[in-house]
Amino acid sequence: MGTSTRWKGPAGGRWSNASRRLARLPEQPAKAAQRLESIADDQLRALHETLRADRSAFGLYDVACAAGEQLARVMGSLAAEGEESADALLTRLIRGVGGDGGTLADAAVRRGLATAVRDVRALHPELDHALDTGAARGGIASDILCDLYRFFFAGLVAEFLRSVVAEHLKLAVPVLIAVDPEERIAGSVANTVLGWLPSPCERADAPPEPGPAADPSPEPPPTLPEIAASMVPEVVGRALGLTTEETTGRKGAEV
């Protein structure tokens, strides 16, 4: 993407429909806010349809998988040695996971990390206390790391679509200033995607599959970072619509 050419966002089909709906939002803020939730669903479905047709579209799948593997590795180090502040935690994640790539997918990873830290702090106020008192330097609890993992993938998708929405707001009516469409759509997308994503902690707590009865030396159970890393293809597939189940409200199978 050259410096003189600005990305105008994806076009065609459901993408164009969502763009037109943004430009025709009701003037009443309450009605506009309600409509934005439906538009968020349109944007998410458009992304999923695009990726099912071409998994390489936007480079999002490969970037998400690579970032997920790096996040699993960083989870291991954070479990052993945390950070002294929320800013230091985010900086560590950006350096270990976000990279310095210049694509929209790369940028969505970095913004997804920022929203994941924000959301995990809101869900776990004890994290801020641990950071403030220095207790977090001894390691961050597994349940917090597992929520960070899920929040990241949901935030990655939401932040990518936030970029799409920003490009589609050129014809929007002034009422959008009052309802903050980018934030509302990103929040709706993140909440939807989050509901589809399994937790590494739940997998770690699941009963082990039975092995050979005569095995005298069973292998030790995988660590939480190992579980998180092994789940990346599944979690990315769910987040990007490449794996759909009835639990997501859409029938289908992995494609």
Side-chain angles (χ1 to χ4, degrees), residues 34-48:
Q34 185 177 19
R35 182 77 59 83
L36 284 168
E37 293 187 7
S38 176
I39 294 173
D41 187 64
D42 276 353
Q43 295 277 11
L44 186 57
R45 287 177 181 270
L47 178 64
H48 287 178

Side-chain angles (χ1 to χ4, degrees), residues 104-125:
L104 288 170
D106 293 322
V109 166
R110 293 188 287 270
R111 292 197 302 268
L113 289 168
T115 62
V117 171
R118 178 200 67 193
D119 292 343
V120 82
R121 290 175 64 197
L123 182 63
H124 294 280

Side-chain angles (χ1 to χ4, degrees), residues 196-214:
W196 303 338
L197 305 183
S199 167
C201 288
E202 293 175 357
R203 292 286 171 86
D205 293 338
E209 296 183 1

Side-chain angles (χ1 to χ4, degrees), residues 23-204:
R24 299 197 304 264
L25 280 175
E27 293 186 6
Q28 299 87 347
K31 291 184 178 179
Q34 185 177 19
R35 182 77 59 83
L36 284 168
E37 293 187 7
S38 176
I39 294 173
D41 187 64
D42 276 353
Q43 295 277 11
L44 186 57
R45 287 177 181 270
L47 178 64
H48 287 178
E49 289 176 2
T50 300
L51 289 168
R52 287 175 197 154
D54 178 7
R55 185 172 295 201
S56 68
F58 316 119
L60 196 57
Y61 177 80
D62 288 342
V63 166
C65 286
E69 291 171 359
Q70 291 297 320
L71 178 58
R73 180 184 60 79
V74 175
M75 285 172 61
S77 67
L78 287 172
E81 182 181 358
E83 284 294 350
E84 60 185 14
S85 69
D87 287 343
L89 174 60
L90 178 57
T91 297
R92 185 165 167 183
L93 288 167
I94 294 292
R95 289 176 177 172
V97 182
D100 56 3
T103 69
L104 288 170
D106 293 322
V109 166
R110 293 188 287 270
R111 292 197 302 268
L113 289 168
T115 62
V117 171
R118 178 200 67 193
D119 292 343
V120 82
R121 290 175 64 197
L123 182 63
H124 294 280
E126 69 273 20
L127 174 59
D128 276 347
H129 177 73
L131 291 168
D132 292 340
T133 61
R137 296 177 186 176
I140 296 177
S142 295
D143 60 330
I144 295 177
L145 293 175
C146 287
D147 285 332
L148 179 72
Y149 180 89
R150 296 176 67 243
F151 283 139
F152 164 68
F153 287 106
L156 166 64
V157 178
E159 292 303 317
F160 180 82
L161 287 176
R162 184 196 292 270
S163 299
V164 174
V165 171
E167 293 301 325
H168 285 171
L169 286 176
K170 308 307 179 185
L171 301 178
V173 293
V175 70
L176 294 183
I177 297 175
V179 298
D180 193 354
E182 292 182 35
E183 184 62 30
R184 285 184 177 271
I185 288 178
S188 180
V189 168
N191 287 336
T192 297
V193 174
L194 189 67
W196 303 338
L197 305 183
S199 167
C201 288
E202 293 175 357
R203 292 286 171 86

